């Protein structure tokens, strides 16, 4: 159960099932048993189009196309200039766009090769802001960034999370300390749940993972 409007984190070792949860939520994988309910509606009762509109996703390797930066953000939509400016500022895109000779018309290159990792992530966040979906899925969204880029992307993600139900996959437990709910997964099951402090007090798998990470 992920509370509406709150941040829920999925943590656990590689292969615990975190990414499978995201794939089931978005309909990429069909569950063999059980059901997924969003609000009061089962996702099996929704069309793929309706289901996909409910989610915005920012992952470690967000899809960037070999088009201009503006096309990567709006994806063919007709966006009012005022709204676009607000999104670019909120996603901290303006900070690097203004330094490019062609601005928003700059070509991203194949798979965004003309951009840094932090720039690609900020484009993906701007795109997610324009989607204005009620549920946000973050899959290791800052894990491949340097410290400076991570700070900027984290600030943009904080604005993106506002007012949305957010589910986060993170291997770095430092990034989920402030989550409203942390679900600890092991071998495809939720084995512990609570906030950071209560899970540490349980001295179970989460506490063990914390000791391993923070002792290195």
């Amino acid at each position: 159960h992920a509370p509406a409007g709150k941040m829920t984190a999925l943590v656990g070792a590689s292969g615990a099932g975190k990414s499978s949860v995201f794939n089931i939520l978005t309909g990429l994988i069909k569950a063999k048993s059980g059901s997924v309910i969003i609000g009061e509606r089962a996702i099996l009762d929704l069309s793929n189009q309706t289901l996909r509109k409910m989610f915005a996703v920012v992952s470690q390797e967000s899809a960037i196309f070999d088009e201009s930066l503006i096309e990567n953000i709006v994806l063919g939509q007709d966006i009012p200039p005022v709204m676009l400016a607000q999104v670019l500022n909120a996603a901290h895109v303006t900070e690097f766009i203004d330094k490019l000779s062609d601005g928003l018309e700059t070509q991203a290159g194949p798979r965004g090769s003309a951009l840094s990792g932090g720039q690609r992530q900020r484009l993906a966040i701007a795109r997610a802001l324009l989607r204005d979906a009620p549920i946000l899925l973050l899959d290791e969204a800052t894990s491949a960034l340097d410290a400076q880029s991570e700070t900027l992307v984290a600030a943009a993600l904080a604005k993106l999370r506002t007012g949305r139900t957010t589910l986060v996959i993170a291997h770095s437990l430092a990034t989920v300390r402030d989550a409203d709910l942390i679900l600890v997964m092991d071998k495809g099951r939720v084995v512990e749940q609570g906030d950071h402090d209560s899970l540490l007090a349980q001295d179970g798998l989460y506490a063990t993972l914390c000791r391993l990470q923070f002792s290195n």
Side-chain angles (χ1 to χ4, degrees):
H1 178 253
K6 303 292 186 180
M7 176 179 169
T8 299
L10 304 179
V11 304
S14 296
K18 304 182 296 295
S19 295
S20 293
V21 170
F22 275 24
N23 289 335
I24 290 171
L25 279 174
T26 53
L28 296 176
I29 295 176
K30 299 298 182 184
K32 294 179 180 178
S33 62
S35 59
V36 179
I37 309 295
I38 299 177
E40 297 181 351
R41 303 181 69 183
I43 64 171
L44 291 178
D45 295 335
L46 304 175
S47 67
N48 283 336
Q49 183 178 19
T50 299
L51 181 62
R52 302 284 163 78
K53 285 182 178 179
M54 301 181 77
F55 296 97
V57 181
V58 181
S59 62
Q60 181 178 350
E61 292 291 338
S62 296
I64 301 297
F65 307 104
D66 191 9
E67 301 287 349
S68 67
L69 303 190
I70 185 64
E71 283 301 321
N72 268 283
I73 294 170
V74 303
L75 297 179
Q77 301 177 86
D78 186 14
I79 305 298
V82 173
M83 180 184 294
L84 180 61
Q86 291 173 341
V87 164
L88 295 179
N89 285 328
H92 293 269
V93 170
T94 307
E95 296 172 18
F96 73 86
I97 286 292
D98 291 344
K99 299 175 184 178
L100 302 176
S101 58
D102 293 327
L104 286 171
E105 296 302 325
T106 301
Q107 295 297 303
R111 301 183 65 182
S113 57
L115 305 172
S116 70
Q119 290 169 343
R120 290 194 294 270
Q121 289 302 74
R122 282 181 274 172
L123 282 187
I125 291 168
R127 183 192 299 163
L129 280 166
L130 284 179
R131 281 184 61 82
D132 198 24
I135 303 172
L136 174 62
L137 304 181
L138 303 178
D139 187 355
E140 297 287 351
T142 62
S143 64
L145 305 179
D146 58 66
Q148 182 177 11
S149 295
E150 183 175 1
T151 298
L152 289 170
V153 170
L157 287 173
K159 293 179 181 178
L160 179 57
R161 290 200 309 264
T162 302
R164 292 179 173 84
T165 300
T166 304
L167 281 80
V168 180
I169 290 176
H171 286 111
S172 174
L173 300 182
T175 64
V176 301
R177 287 185 178 189
D178 296 329
D180 298 285
L181 177 65
I182 300 172
L183 303 177
V184 185
M185 298 190 67
D186 184 42
K187 299 177 182 177
R189 295 181 178 276
V190 175
V191 294
E192 296 171 10
Q193 57 183 303
D195 60 18
H196 174 75
D197 291 335
S198 67
L199 287 170
L200 285 182
Q202 291 180 36
D203 198 24
L205 179 57
Y206 182 81
T208 299
L209 291 172
C210 283
R211 284 193 290 268
L212 288 172
Q213 281 200 10
F214 299 138
S215 64
N216 294 330

